[in-house]
Each structure stands twice: as structure tokens, then as C-alpha cells.
């Protein structure tokens, strides 16, 4: 089978591989919709997780089940399934402690395009199929299902981790597909005022649609100065970091007030350390707390997010700005994600059989 791979840091291309085999608990899936992620860009072009050779990329997919292992009970060949970006080992200690994304090693639930071939191939392997695959609802398109796998799950986690008080204020720094999902999540969780920080007009429009009350451009001066001024010198109850480079943490801390949570969902691809402003952080004593997390995976998470879509709480289709047909188009989609033209939020590739 063929797949689109990271050949080495900074280089991508097509590779030929053996079709993967399902162990007793696993499934083999063929993609129906796949999307490139900014994380693929960090992985390939920043070498963020180190060297990888001929590793098939991609971790956002909806697919059709091609094969199941002998012990799989609920998932059947031919099922159309939502495949979470993160596929934990559910029996692991970390999963049993409630941190399923960190199974085995830190970020260990992230298997696709990290420690095994990802979803940008003719077939891909899914571990623990009964726990990691959710049935795509009949009313949902594969494109929309694909937006659930990582964008919604990560963005909503950013809002959940931020512990936004009912009616509280939140600033979302970065409004790509991840930050936009965080805005939608913050609104659903009862935020009062929602600041959206970014400049791409397509993103600004969706931010307003998803519930942003104030739009701030980081190009119009210091983000934190603008947020502090707009809140009468107070700062916000919660900050969700969903874009930018290391210095964005300075804006995050300086935008937050006492009792706040700074919820990071950004993937910092470079550097050994990250900056925290000493004075803005009250010399370490300002009651400004950090939360971090990797996208939650698993069947129940996907089913719950699908319910939000099915019942009209969010329309993930608004995130998709570029649509392609055929696996061959994945290269074009990934390069769009790398180059980030101003009219892009998220590209998607659909495949018909
Ligand atoms: P995008 O690149 O599409 O969006 C980034 C956003 O950040 C844009 O809105 C951009 O603004 C904005 N931005 C850039 N610089 C600044 C700045 N200095 N201050 C404020 N905003 C800024 O990214 P995605 O939405 O696709 O992904 C966001 C991050 O989430 C990535 O690092 C990705 O790897 C990570 N991620 C993490 C996951 C997890 O599990 N934790 C899962 C998936 C993704 P503009 O509008 O001007 O372009
Ligand atoms: Zn991703």
C-alpha cells in the first residue's frame, strides 16, 4: 500500500509499505476523510519530536473498517468510524488514573504519526478498536466527523481545563481551527466575555459565529495590554493558548488575573525552555495557574462530541475552508497547512471507493 510520509526532518514524500495487520483487539481502517494538522507541520519541518524515517503522517481521520481482530466485539467490517487522533492503551496505569492521553510515556496516547504509521495511507492500524473507534452517526458527513477527532477534542479540552467560571471572562490566544474550537467550548461551558486573538479574516468570522465577543489583533500592539485595558486593568479569568511561539506565554500570563487558569493547548515545536514573565507572574506568587493537556481520545469522548454536533450545539463544517478529493491530494493539503494562506482555516481530503 502507499502512504504519504515524513522521510526525514524537513522532507516528505510517498512511500510503499506492507498493509498493516490487526492484532486480536485491533482494526484495520481505510480512510474516508483525512485532514492535515499544524502538529504534522511541527513534526516534519521543525523536527519537534525528533527524527523519523519514512513514517506515514496524519492523525485526523474518519474511515471504513476493513478488518477486525478476533477479540473485537462491537466494531464490524464495513462500519464507518470516527478515529480519534489519540488512541490510548485503556488498561494502562495512566489511563486508569484518568490521564489516558499520557499512556506508557508522556504523550503516549499519541500513536499515529508519532510512534507508528499515521492515517495518510491506503490503510491504517487502530489499537483497541472497541475502545478507540466510535460509529459515525448516519446524519454526519465524514468531513464533519474528521473535525471532531482532534480539533474539537483539543479545543474543548482547552476550555474544560481552563475552569472558566459561569459568566467569567476568557481570552483565546490563536484562532486557527484549534483556538476556534476552544471558543465554541468556552461558550458552551458558560463563559461571559470571550476575547479572540488573531488576524485572519476567515478565522475572525468563525470566531464571532462560535461566540467571541471581542476580537483583538496581536499585530495592533501588545495582546496583554489590549486585554488588560479592555477589562479595566483586571485581566481575564482564564486564558487558552492555541497559537504563536514561546513568547505567547508572556502575553498569556500578563492577560490573566488572580485565580485564573492559563490552559495551554499549543504545541511548542522548538527551544529547550519556555518564558514566564517574572513580574506578571507575581514573582511566582500571583495565583495564576497553568494547565496543559494532549487531545483526549477514545470512543466515549468521540461519541459525546458527536452528540454536540448532532444536536446543533456546534457546526464544525465552518472550520473547513479547502476541500480536496482523493488520497493523492494530501500533499497539497499538508503544504497549505505549512504555508497558512490568509484564507485557510482547515483543509480536508475525502476519498471514495
Ligand atoms: P494555526 O496556525 O492555524 O493558528 C494559529 C493561530 O495563532 C492563528 O490564529 C494566528 O493568527 C495566531 N497567532 C500567531 N501568532 C500569535 C501571537 N503572537 N499572538 C496571538 N495569536 C497568534 O494553528 P492550529 O489552530 O491548527 O493549531 C494551534 C496549535 O495547537 C498548534 O501548535 C498545534 O500543533 C497545536 N495542537 C495541539 C494539540 C494538543 O493535543 N494539545 C492537538 C492539535 C493541535 P493569524 O490569524 O494572524 O494567523
Ligand atoms: Zn493534530
Amino acid at each position: 500500500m502507499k502512504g504519504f510520509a515524513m522521510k526525514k526532518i524537513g522532507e516528505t514524500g510517498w512511500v510503499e509499505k506492507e498493509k498493516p495487520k490487526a492484532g486480536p483487539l485491533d482494526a484495520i481502517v481505510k480512510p474516508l476523510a483525512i485532514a492535515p494538522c499544524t502538529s504534522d507541520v511541527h513534526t516534519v519541518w521543525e523536527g519537534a519530536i525528533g527524527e523519523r524515517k519514512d513514517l506515514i503522517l496524519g492523525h485526523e481521520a474518519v474511515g471504513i473498517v476493513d478488518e477486525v481482530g478476533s477479540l473485537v466485539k462491537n466494531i464490524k467490517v464495513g462500519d464507518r468510524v470516527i478515529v480519534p487522533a489519540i488512541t490510548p492503551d485503556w488498561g494502562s496505569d495512566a489511563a486508569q488514573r484518568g490521564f489516558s492521553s499520557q499512556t506508557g510515556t508522556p504523550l503516549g496516547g499519541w500513536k499515529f504519526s508519532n510512534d507508528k504509521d499515521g492515517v495518510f495511507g491506503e490503510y491504517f492500524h487502530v489499537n483497541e478498536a472497541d475502545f478507540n473507534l466510535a460509529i459515525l452517526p448516519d446524519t454526519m458527513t465524514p468531513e464533519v466527523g474528521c473535525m471532531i477527532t482532534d480539533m474539537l477534542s483539543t479545543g474543548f479540552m482547552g476550555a474544560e481545563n481552563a475552569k472558566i467560571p459561569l459568566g467569567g471572562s476568557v481570552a483565546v490566544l490563536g484562532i486557527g481551527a484549534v483556538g476556534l474550537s476552544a471558543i465554541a467550548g468556552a461558550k458552551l461551558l458558560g463563559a461571559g466575555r470571550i476575547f479572540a486573538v488573531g488576524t485572519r479574516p476567515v478565522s475572525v468570522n468563525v470566531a464571532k459565529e462560535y461566540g467571541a465577543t471581542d476580537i483583538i489583533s496581536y499585530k495592533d500592539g501588545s495582546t496583554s495590554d489590549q486585554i488588560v485595558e479592555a477589562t479595566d486593568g483586571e485581566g481575564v479569568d482564564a486564558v487558552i493558548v492555541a497559537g504563536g511561539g514561546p513568547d505567547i506565554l508572556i502575553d498569556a500570563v500578563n492577560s490573566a488575573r488572580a485565580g485564573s487558569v492559563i490552559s495551554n493547548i499549543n504545541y511548542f515545536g522548538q527551544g529547550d525552555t519556555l518564558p514566564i514573565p517574572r513580574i506578571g507572574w507575581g514573582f511566582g506568587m500571583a495565583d495564576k495557574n497553568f494547565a496543559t493537556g494532549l487531545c483526549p481520545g477514545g470512543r466515549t469522548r468521540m461519541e459525546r462530541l458527536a452528540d454536540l454536533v448532532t444536536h446543533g450545539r456546534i457546526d464544525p463544517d465552518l472550520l473547513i475552508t479547502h476541500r480536496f478529493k482523493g488520497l493523492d491530494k494530501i500533499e497539497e493539503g499538508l503544504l497549505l497547512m505549512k504555508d497558512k494562506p490568509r484564507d485557510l482555516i482547515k483543509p480536508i481530503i475525502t476519498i471514495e471507493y
Side-chain angles (χ1 to χ4, degrees), residues 22-28 65 67-73 75 77 129-130:
L25 295 170
D26 309 336
I28 304 301
V65 176
E67 184 189 330
V68 292
S70 56
L71 297 178
V72 175
K73 291 183 189 142
I75 297 292
V77 171
D130 281 333

Side-chain angles (χ1 to χ4, degrees), residues 37-40 59-60 85 150-151 346:
C37 178
T38 305
S39 301
D40 294 307
H59 51 260
E60 299 181 19
D150 188 1
M151 299 299 95
K346 194 83 179 170

